[in-house]
PDB file of all heavy atoms in Angstrom:
ATOM      1  N   SER I 246     -40.997  -7.328 -51.021  1.00 90.00           N
ATOM      2  CA  SER I 246     -41.323  -8.695 -51.032  1.00 90.00           C
ATOM      3  C   SER I 246     -40.308  -9.662 -50.723  1.00 90.00           C
ATOM      4  O   SER I 246     -39.920 -10.507 -51.494  1.00 90.00           O
ATOM      5  CB  SER I 246     -41.943  -9.044 -52.481  1.00 90.00           C
ATOM      6  OG  SER I 246     -42.987  -8.194 -52.816  1.00 90.00           O
ATOM      7  N   TRP I 247     -39.881  -9.673 -49.448  1.00 89.00           N
ATOM      8  CA  TRP I 247     -38.759 -10.506 -48.976  1.00 89.00           C
ATOM      9  C   TRP I 247     -39.431 -11.609 -48.180  1.00 89.00           C
ATOM     10  O   TRP I 247     -38.657 -12.632 -47.802  1.00 89.00           O
ATOM     11  CB  TRP I 247     -37.821  -9.752 -47.994  1.00 89.00           C
ATOM     12  CG  TRP I 247     -38.425  -9.190 -46.819  1.00 89.00           C
ATOM     13  CD1 TRP I 247     -39.030  -8.027 -46.739  1.00 89.00           C
ATOM     14  CD2 TRP I 247     -38.651  -9.796 -45.482  1.00 89.00           C
ATOM     15  NE1 TRP I 247     -39.536  -7.852 -45.362  1.00 89.00           N
ATOM     16  CE2 TRP I 247     -39.225  -8.913 -44.653  1.00 89.00           C
ATOM     17  CE3 TRP I 247     -38.122 -10.963 -44.958  1.00 89.00           C
ATOM     18  CZ2 TRP I 247     -39.487  -9.185 -43.419  1.00 89.00           C
ATOM     19  CZ3 TRP I 247     -38.466 -11.277 -43.672  1.00 89.00           C
ATOM     20  CH2 TRP I 247     -39.091 -10.412 -42.820  1.00 89.00           C
ATOM     21  N   ALA I 248     -40.669 -11.412 -47.859  1.00 77.00           N
ATOM     22  CA  ALA I 248     -41.311 -12.548 -46.946  1.00 77.00           C
ATOM     23  C   ALA I 248     -41.974 -13.742 -47.575  1.00 77.00           C
ATOM     24  O   ALA I 248     -42.775 -14.414 -47.119  1.00 77.00           O
ATOM     25  CB  ALA I 248     -42.330 -11.810 -46.105  1.00 77.00           C
ATOM     26  N   GLY I 249     -41.543 -13.885 -48.935  1.00 74.00           N
ATOM     27  CA  GLY I 249     -42.262 -15.031 -49.635  1.00 74.00           C
ATOM     28  C   GLY I 249     -43.334 -14.518 -50.551  1.00 74.00           C
ATOM     29  O   GLY I 249     -42.983 -13.596 -51.475  1.00 74.00           O
ATOM     30  N   ALA I 250     -44.669 -14.852 -50.473  1.00 68.00           N
ATOM     31  CA  ALA I 250     -45.695 -14.460 -51.224  1.00 68.00           C
ATOM     32  C   ALA I 250     -46.225 -13.077 -50.664  1.00 68.00           C
ATOM     33  O   ALA I 250     -46.954 -13.149 -49.639  1.00 68.00           O
ATOM     34  CB  ALA I 250     -46.782 -15.420 -51.239  1.00 68.00           C
ATOM     35  N   GLY I 251     -46.002 -12.000 -51.304  1.00 79.00           N
ATOM     36  CA  GLY I 251     -46.611 -10.761 -50.966  1.00 79.00           C
ATOM     37  C   GLY I 251     -45.527 -10.073 -49.929  1.00 79.00           C
ATOM     38  O   GLY I 251     -44.561 -10.440 -49.647  1.00 79.00           O
ATOM     39  N   THR I 252     -46.168  -8.913 -49.456  1.00 88.00           N
ATOM     40  CA  THR I 252     -45.398  -8.094 -48.417  1.00 88.00           C
ATOM     41  C   THR I 252     -46.148  -8.156 -47.034  1.00 88.00           C
ATOM     42  O   THR I 252     -47.314  -8.516 -46.842  1.00 88.00           O
ATOM     43  CB  THR I 252     -45.377  -6.707 -48.878  1.00 88.00           C
ATOM     44  OG1 THR I 252     -46.834  -6.158 -48.845  1.00 88.00           O
ATOM     45  CG2 THR I 252     -44.723  -6.558 -50.221  1.00 88.00           C
ATOM     46  N   LEU I 253     -45.389  -7.823 -46.048  1.00 91.00           N
ATOM     47  CA  LEU I 253     -45.861  -7.793 -44.593  1.00 91.00           C
ATOM     48  C   LEU I 253     -46.986  -6.724 -44.548  1.00 91.00           C
ATOM     49  O   LEU I 253     -47.942  -6.857 -43.674  1.00 91.00           O
ATOM     50  CB  LEU I 253     -44.808  -7.578 -43.575  1.00 91.00           C
ATOM     51  CG  LEU I 253     -43.749  -8.690 -43.512  1.00 91.00           C
ATOM     52  CD1 LEU I 253     -42.749  -8.312 -42.355  1.00 91.00           C
ATOM     53  CD2 LEU I 253     -44.366  -9.987 -43.235  1.00 91.00           C
ATOM     54  N   LYS I 254     -46.822  -5.719 -45.305  1.00 90.00           N
ATOM     55  CA  LYS I 254     -47.917  -4.657 -45.286  1.00 90.00           C
ATOM     56  C   LYS I 254     -49.276  -5.259 -45.645  1.00 90.00           C
ATOM     57  O   LYS I 254     -50.282  -4.891 -45.144  1.00 90.00           O
ATOM     58  CB  LYS I 254     -47.507  -3.587 -46.257  1.00 90.00           C
ATOM     59  CG  LYS I 254     -48.583  -2.493 -46.483  1.00 90.00           C
ATOM     60  CD  LYS I 254     -48.107  -1.522 -47.429  1.00 90.00           C
ATOM     61  CE  LYS I 254     -49.139  -0.359 -47.697  1.00 90.00           C
ATOM     62  NZ  LYS I 254     -48.782   0.618 -48.706  1.00 90.00           N
ATOM     63  N   MET I 255     -49.283  -6.244 -46.734  1.00 89.00           N
ATOM     64  CA  MET I 255     -50.554  -6.782 -47.190  1.00 89.00           C
ATOM     65  C   MET I 255     -50.947  -7.965 -46.283  1.00 89.00           C
ATOM     66  O   MET I 255     -52.154  -8.189 -45.988  1.00 89.00           O
ATOM     67  CB  MET I 255     -50.260  -7.465 -48.539  1.00 89.00           C
ATOM     68  CG  MET I 255     -49.787  -6.416 -49.584  1.00 89.00           C
ATOM     69  SD  MET I 255     -51.112  -5.087 -49.822  1.00 89.00           S
ATOM     70  CE  MET I 255     -52.502  -5.976 -50.493  1.00 89.00           C
ATOM     71  N   GLU I 256     -49.981  -8.579 -45.528  1.00 89.00           N
ATOM     72  CA  GLU I 256     -50.383  -9.697 -44.707  1.00 89.00           C
ATOM     73  C   GLU I 256     -50.820  -9.249 -43.331  1.00 89.00           C
ATOM     74  O   GLU I 256     -51.636  -9.915 -42.663  1.00 89.00           O
ATOM     75  CB  GLU I 256     -49.148 -10.702 -44.545  1.00 89.00           C
ATOM     76  CG  GLU I 256     -48.683 -11.456 -45.826  1.00 89.00           C
ATOM     77  CD  GLU I 256     -49.847 -12.368 -46.282  1.00 89.00           C
ATOM     78  OE1 GLU I 256     -50.457 -12.992 -45.329  1.00 89.00           O
ATOM     79  OE2 GLU I 256     -49.924 -12.531 -47.471  1.00 89.00           O
ATOM     80  N   PHE I 257     -50.164  -8.122 -42.846  1.00 91.00           N
ATOM     81  CA  PHE I 257     -50.519  -7.613 -41.517  1.00 91.00           C
ATOM     82  C   PHE I 257     -50.917  -6.129 -41.702  1.00 91.00           C
ATOM     83  O   PHE I 257     -50.160  -5.277 -41.162  1.00 91.00           O
ATOM     84  CB  PHE I 257     -49.353  -7.826 -40.549  1.00 91.00           C
ATOM     85  CG  PHE I 257     -48.880  -9.222 -40.375  1.00 91.00           C
ATOM     86  CD1 PHE I 257     -47.989  -9.789 -41.328  1.00 91.00           C
ATOM     87  CD2 PHE I 257     -49.504 -10.065 -39.520  1.00 91.00           C
ATOM     88  CE1 PHE I 257     -47.548 -11.127 -41.093  1.00 91.00           C
ATOM     89  CE2 PHE I 257     -49.100 -11.384 -39.260  1.00 91.00           C
ATOM     90  CZ  PHE I 257     -48.191 -11.894 -40.086  1.00 91.00           C
ATOM     91  N   PRO I 258     -52.073  -5.845 -42.228  1.00 90.00           N
ATOM     92  CA  PRO I 258     -52.360  -4.425 -42.499  1.00 90.00           C
ATOM     93  C   PRO I 258     -52.671  -3.548 -41.233  1.00 90.00           C
ATOM     94  O   PRO I 258     -52.274  -2.486 -41.229  1.00 90.00           O
ATOM     95  CB  PRO I 258     -53.646  -4.545 -43.295  1.00 90.00           C
ATOM     96  CG  PRO I 258     -54.300  -5.954 -43.040  1.00 90.00           C
ATOM     97  CD  PRO I 258     -53.074  -6.697 -42.788  1.00 90.00           C
ATOM     98  N   GLU I 259     -53.062  -4.101 -40.168  1.00 90.00           N
ATOM     99  CA  GLU I 259     -53.370  -3.480 -38.993  1.00 90.00           C
ATOM    100  C   GLU I 259     -52.024  -3.040 -38.343  1.00 90.00           C
ATOM    101  O   GLU I 259     -51.982  -1.866 -37.881  1.00 90.00           O
ATOM    102  CB  GLU I 259     -54.220  -4.270 -37.956  1.00 90.00           C
ATOM    103  CG  GLU I 259     -55.763  -4.193 -38.389  1.00 90.00           C
ATOM    104  CD  GLU I 259     -56.414  -2.906 -38.458  1.00 90.00           C
ATOM    105  OE1 GLU I 259     -56.120  -2.049 -37.591  1.00 90.00           O
ATOM    106  OE2 GLU I 259     -57.060  -2.572 -39.536  1.00 90.00           O
ATOM    107  N   LEU I 260     -51.010  -4.004 -38.364  1.00 91.00           N
ATOM    108  CA  LEU I 260     -49.790  -3.673 -37.759  1.00 91.00           C
ATOM    109  C   LEU I 260     -49.165  -2.553 -38.539  1.00 91.00           C
ATOM    110  O   LEU I 260     -48.543  -1.712 -37.868  1.00 91.00           O
ATOM    111  CB  LEU I 260     -48.888  -4.841 -37.679  1.00 91.00           C
ATOM    112  CG  LEU I 260     -49.408  -6.021 -36.721  1.00 91.00           C
ATOM    113  CD1 LEU I 260     -48.348  -7.227 -36.845  1.00 91.00           C
ATOM    114  CD2 LEU I 260     -49.642  -5.523 -35.394  1.00 91.00           C
ATOM    115  N   HIS I 261     -49.206  -2.719 -39.789  1.00 90.00           N
ATOM    116  CA  HIS I 261     -48.553  -1.603 -40.686  1.00 90.00           C
ATOM    117  C   HIS I 261     -49.326  -0.312 -40.389  1.00 90.00           C
ATOM    118  O   HIS I 261     -48.597   0.757 -40.434  1.00 90.00           O
ATOM    119  CB  HIS I 261     -48.734  -2.053 -42.168  1.00 90.00           C
ATOM    120  CG  HIS I 261     -48.205  -0.943 -43.028  1.00 90.00           C
ATOM    121  ND1 HIS I 261     -49.003  -0.068 -43.678  1.00 90.00           N
ATOM    122  CD2 HIS I 261     -46.873  -0.640 -43.543  1.00 90.00           C
ATOM    123  CE1 HIS I 261     -48.265   0.773 -44.403  1.00 90.00           C
ATOM    124  NE2 HIS I 261     -47.008   0.458 -44.321  1.00 90.00           N
ATOM    125  N   LYS I 262     -50.628  -0.262 -40.332  1.00 90.00           N
ATOM    126  CA  LYS I 262     -51.236   0.963 -40.128  1.00 90.00           C
ATOM    127  C   LYS I 262     -50.901   1.672 -38.888  1.00 90.00           C
ATOM    128  O   LYS I 262     -50.754   2.912 -38.846  1.00 90.00           O
ATOM    129  CB  LYS I 262     -52.821   0.647 -40.038  1.00 90.00           C
ATOM    130  CG  LYS I 262     -53.617   1.861 -39.933  1.00 90.00           C
ATOM    131  CD  LYS I 262     -55.127   1.411 -39.768  1.00 90.00           C
ATOM    132  CE  LYS I 262     -56.003   2.573 -39.385  1.00 90.00           C
ATOM    133  NZ  LYS I 262     -57.434   2.104 -39.323  1.00 90.00           N
ATOM    134  N   HIS I 263     -50.596   0.891 -37.742  1.00 89.00           N
ATOM    135  CA  HIS I 263     -50.266   1.484 -36.455  1.00 89.00           C
ATOM    136  C   HIS I 263     -48.785   1.653 -36.249  1.00 89.00           C
ATOM    137  O   HIS I 263     -48.385   2.144 -35.148  1.00 89.00           O
ATOM    138  CB  HIS I 263     -50.988   0.619 -35.335  1.00 89.00           C
ATOM    139  CG  HIS I 263     -52.458   0.759 -35.365  1.00 89.00           C
ATOM    140  ND1 HIS I 263     -53.170  -0.076 -35.951  1.00 89.00           N
ATOM    141  CD2 HIS I 263     -53.225   1.697 -34.662  1.00 89.00           C
ATOM    142  CE1 HIS I 263     -54.493   0.231 -35.745  1.00 89.00           C
ATOM    143  NE2 HIS I 263     -54.565   1.258 -34.978  1.00 89.00           N
ATOM    144  N   SER I 264     -47.932   1.340 -37.203  1.00 90.00           N
ATOM    145  CA  SER I 264     -46.531   1.390 -37.034  1.00 90.00           C
ATOM    146  C   SER I 264     -46.179   2.918 -37.212  1.00 90.00           C
ATOM    147  O   SER I 264     -46.520   3.559 -38.141  1.00 90.00           O
ATOM    148  CB  SER I 264     -45.780   0.546 -38.006  1.00 90.00           C
ATOM    149  OG  SER I 264     -44.410   0.822 -37.949  1.00 90.00           O
ATOM    150  N   LYS I 265     -45.264   3.436 -36.375  1.00 89.00           N
ATOM    151  CA  LYS I 265     -44.887   4.820 -36.364  1.00 89.00           C
ATOM    152  C   LYS I 265     -43.719   4.991 -37.381  1.00 89.00           C
ATOM    153  O   LYS I 265     -43.437   6.145 -37.808  1.00 89.00           O
ATOM    154  CB  LYS I 265     -44.431   5.401 -35.041  1.00 89.00           C
ATOM    155  CG  LYS I 265     -45.624   5.389 -33.972  1.00 89.00           C
ATOM    156  CD  LYS I 265     -45.156   5.916 -32.675  1.00 89.00           C
ATOM    157  CE  LYS I 265     -44.118   4.869 -32.012  1.00 89.00           C
ATOM    158  NZ  LYS I 265     -43.738   5.342 -30.687  1.00 89.00           N
ATOM    159  N   ARG I 266     -42.965   3.942 -37.621  1.00 90.00           N
ATOM    160  CA  ARG I 266     -41.795   4.028 -38.582  1.00 90.00           C
ATOM    161  C   ARG I 266     -42.021   2.979 -39.715  1.00 90.00           C
ATOM    162  O   ARG I 266     -41.454   1.754 -39.562  1.00 90.00           O
ATOM    163  CB  ARG I 266     -40.509   3.773 -37.801  1.00 90.00           C
ATOM    164  CG  ARG I 266     -40.150   4.716 -36.704  1.00 90.00           C
ATOM    165  CD  ARG I 266     -39.828   6.121 -37.364  1.00 90.00           C
ATOM    166  NE  ARG I 266     -38.635   6.041 -38.179  1.00 90.00           N
ATOM    167  CZ  ARG I 266     -37.330   6.031 -37.724  1.00 90.00           C
ATOM    168  NH1 ARG I 266     -37.164   6.230 -36.315  1.00 90.00           N
ATOM    169  NH2 ARG I 266     -36.352   5.924 -38.516  1.00 90.00           N
ATOM    170  N   LYS I 267     -42.796   3.367 -40.681  1.00 90.00           N
ATOM    171  CA  LYS I 267     -43.102   2.361 -41.755  1.00 90.00           C
ATOM    172  C   LYS I 267     -41.869   2.193 -42.730  1.00 90.00           C
ATOM    173  O   LYS I 267     -42.071   1.360 -43.614  1.00 90.00           O
ATOM    174  CB  LYS I 267     -44.373   2.924 -42.485  1.00 90.00           C
ATOM    175  CG  LYS I 267     -45.610   2.926 -41.705  1.00 90.00           C
ATOM    176  CD  LYS I 267     -46.814   3.354 -42.380  1.00 90.00           C
ATOM    177  CE  LYS I 267     -48.025   3.321 -41.600  1.00 90.00           C
ATOM    178  NZ  LYS I 267     -48.091   4.026 -40.383  1.00 90.00           N
ATOM    179  N   ASN I 268     -40.907   3.020 -42.676  1.00 89.00           N
ATOM    180  CA  ASN I 268     -39.804   2.987 -43.704  1.00 89.00           C
ATOM    181  C   ASN I 268     -38.640   2.140 -43.111  1.00 89.00           C
ATOM    182  O   ASN I 268     -37.472   2.284 -43.838  1.00 89.00           O
ATOM    183  CB  ASN I 268     -39.411   4.365 -44.121  1.00 89.00           C
ATOM    184  CG  ASN I 268     -40.572   4.995 -44.760  1.00 89.00           C
ATOM    185  OD1 ASN I 268     -41.337   4.517 -45.588  1.00 89.00           O
ATOM    186  ND2 ASN I 268     -40.591   6.455 -44.616  1.00 89.00           N
ATOM    187  N   ARG I 269     -38.706   1.476 -42.096  1.00 93.00           N
ATOM    188  CA  ARG I 269     -37.439   0.803 -41.484  1.00 93.00           C
ATOM    189  C   ARG I 269     -37.142  -0.271 -42.480  1.00 93.00           C
ATOM    190  O   ARG I 269     -37.923  -0.940 -43.052  1.00 93.00           O
ATOM    191  CB  ARG I 269     -37.824   0.184 -40.222  1.00 93.00           C
ATOM    192  CG  ARG I 269     -37.842   1.230 -39.083  1.00 93.00           C
ATOM    193  CD  ARG I 269     -37.696   0.575 -37.666  1.00 93.00           C
ATOM    194  NE  ARG I 269     -37.886   1.432 -36.619  1.00 93.00           N
ATOM    195  CZ  ARG I 269     -36.951   2.249 -36.140  1.00 93.00           C
ATOM    196  NH1 ARG I 269     -35.690   2.128 -36.550  1.00 93.00           N
ATOM    197  NH2 ARG I 269     -37.251   3.073 -35.031  1.00 93.00           N
ATOM    198  N   THR I 270     -35.887  -0.487 -42.520  1.00 93.00           N
ATOM    199  CA  THR I 270     -35.320  -1.640 -43.207  1.00 93.00           C
ATOM    200  C   THR I 270     -35.510  -2.980 -42.488  1.00 93.00           C
ATOM    201  O   THR I 270     -35.808  -2.890 -41.289  1.00 93.00           O
ATOM    202  CB  THR I 270     -33.805  -1.534 -43.574  1.00 93.00           C
ATOM    203  OG1 THR I 270     -33.132  -1.497 -42.353  1.00 93.00           O
ATOM    204  CG2 THR I 270     -33.562  -0.292 -44.454  1.00 93.00           C
ATOM    205  N   VAL I 271     -35.334  -4.070 -43.111  1.00 93.00           N
ATOM    206  CA  VAL I 271     -35.455  -5.443 -42.357  1.00 93.00           C
ATOM    207  C   VAL I 271     -34.482  -5.499 -41.305  1.00 93.00           C
ATOM    208  O   VAL I 271     -34.751  -5.888 -40.112  1.00 93.00           O
ATOM    209  CB  VAL I 271     -35.283  -6.491 -43.326  1.00 93.00           C
ATOM    210  CG1 VAL I 271     -35.196  -7.892 -42.663  1.00 93.00           C
ATOM    211  CG2 VAL I 271     -36.322  -6.536 -44.478  1.00 93.00           C
ATOM    212  N   HIS I 272     -33.123  -4.986 -41.571  1.00 94.00           N
ATOM    213  CA  HIS I 272     -32.205  -5.023 -40.438  1.00 94.00           C
ATOM    214  C   HIS I 272     -32.569  -4.226 -39.200  1.00 94.00           C
ATOM    215  O   HIS I 272     -32.448  -4.632 -38.106  1.00 94.00           O
ATOM    216  CB  HIS I 272     -30.837  -4.512 -41.025  1.00 94.00           C
ATOM    217  CG  HIS I 272     -29.759  -4.545 -40.111  1.00 94.00           C
ATOM    218  ND1 HIS I 272     -29.544  -3.413 -39.305  1.00 94.00           N
ATOM    219  CD2 HIS I 272     -28.781  -5.477 -39.834  1.00 94.00           C
ATOM    220  CE1 HIS I 272     -28.453  -3.678 -38.526  1.00 94.00           C
ATOM    221  NE2 HIS I 272     -28.019  -4.893 -38.843  1.00 94.00           N
TER     222      HIS I 272
END
Side-chain angles (χ1 to χ4, degrees):
S246 299
W247 62 273
T252 64
L253 294 185
K254 175 183 176 180
M255 300 298 294
E256 294 293 328
F257 301 89
E259 285 300 314
L260 295 183
H261 174 266
K262 177 182 177 181
H263 291 91
S264 177
K265 296 180 294 183
R266 296 289 300 275
K267 296 180 174 61
N268 294 326
R269 284 198 188 275
T270 63
V271 174
H272 179 273

